[in-house]
């Protein structure tokens, strides 16, 4: 699931929670349009149906609550996972002739790290690949020296990512680069 899809999903969840909270406030203050503030929230027919299905209605409510809790736990665990946990193992490609080429994702990430640190302005680089193998998301964090020129480093990063895409035969879907500049030594 892409970052945009996650943002959309969390926006929908937030809007549903806000609407539910607003509805609960309106009902608790007795401000339901056309309603009696002293009337019961659930109608007599709904209460009678709940009591008629007595053991099963409670069981259905409990099962629904457990399913919603499990769905929330799964969604939360997917959101809180580290970026490096998504793409593991090998990137597998079919060739023009019978057979496959398999590349370890760790090897690809380390190769891109070595390529990035080839610039004298880049002291350290860390690369994480996430997402589906044909179009992975590439996350780069670099530590730059204090005398590194931003334009030179930017061109070096774009060239390294182009070489990575050509070598691995997979075009990055998203590229996120974070650069930290180390303080100058006295």
């Amino acid at each position: 699931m892409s970052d945009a899809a996650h943002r959309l999903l969390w926006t929908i969840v937030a809007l549903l929670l806000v609407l539910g909270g607003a509805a609960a406030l309106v009902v608790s203050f007795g401000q339901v349009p056309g309603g009696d503030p002293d009337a019961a929230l659930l109608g007599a027919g709904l209460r009678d149906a709940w009591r008629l299905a007595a053991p099963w209605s409670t069981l259905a409510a409990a099962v629904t609550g457990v399913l919603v809790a499990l769905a929330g736990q799964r969604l939360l665990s997917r959101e809180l996972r580290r970026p490096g946990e998504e793409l593991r193992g090998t990137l597998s490609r079919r060739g023009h002739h019978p057979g496959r080429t398999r590349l370890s994702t760790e090897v690809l990430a380390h190769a891109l790290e070595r390529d990035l640190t080839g610039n004298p302005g880049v002291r350290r680089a860390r690369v994480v690949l996430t997402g589906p193998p044909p179009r992975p998301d590439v996350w780069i964090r670099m530590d730059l020296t204090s005398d590194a020129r931003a334009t030179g480093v930017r061109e070096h990063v774009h060239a390294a990512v182009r070489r990575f895409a050509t070598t691995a035969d997979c075009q990055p879907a998203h590229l996120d680069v974070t650069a930290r500049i180390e303080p100058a030594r006295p």
Side-chain angles (χ1 to χ4, degrees), residues 82-91 104-106 126 129 131 133:
R82 288 187 5 233
E85 294 177 356
E86 178 68 27
L87 187 62
R88 288 280 185 222
T90 59
L91 175 68
S104 169
T105 55
E106 284 98 17
R126 170 86 171 109
L129 303 173

Side-chain angles (χ1 to χ4, degrees), residues 90-144:
T90 59
L91 175 68
S92 181
R93 292 277 187 199
R94 287 203 176 274
H96 296 293
H97 304 289
R100 286 181 175 247
T101 300
R102 294 177 191 247
L103 299 170
S104 169
T105 55
E106 284 98 17
V107 170
L108 289 172
H110 292 305
L112 184 54
E113 288 171 2
R114 279 192 311 272
D115 194 2
L116 289 168
T117 55
N119 185 318
V122 179
R123 189 167 308 278
R124 280 181 294 279
R126 170 86 171 109
V127 175
V128 176
L129 303 173
T130 62
R135 294 197 31 94
D137 297 335
V138 178
W139 305 80
I140 300 173
R141 189 183 74 217
M142 298 185 311
D143 293 335
L144 305 177

Side-chain angles (χ1 to χ4, degrees), residues 28 42 66 68 77 85 109 121-122 126 138-139 146 154 167 185:
S28 70
L42 300 177
V66 167
V68 168
S77 69
E85 294 177 356
V122 179
R126 170 86 171 109
V138 178
W139 305 80
S146 60
R154 183 181 305 127
T167 303
R185 295 183 184 152

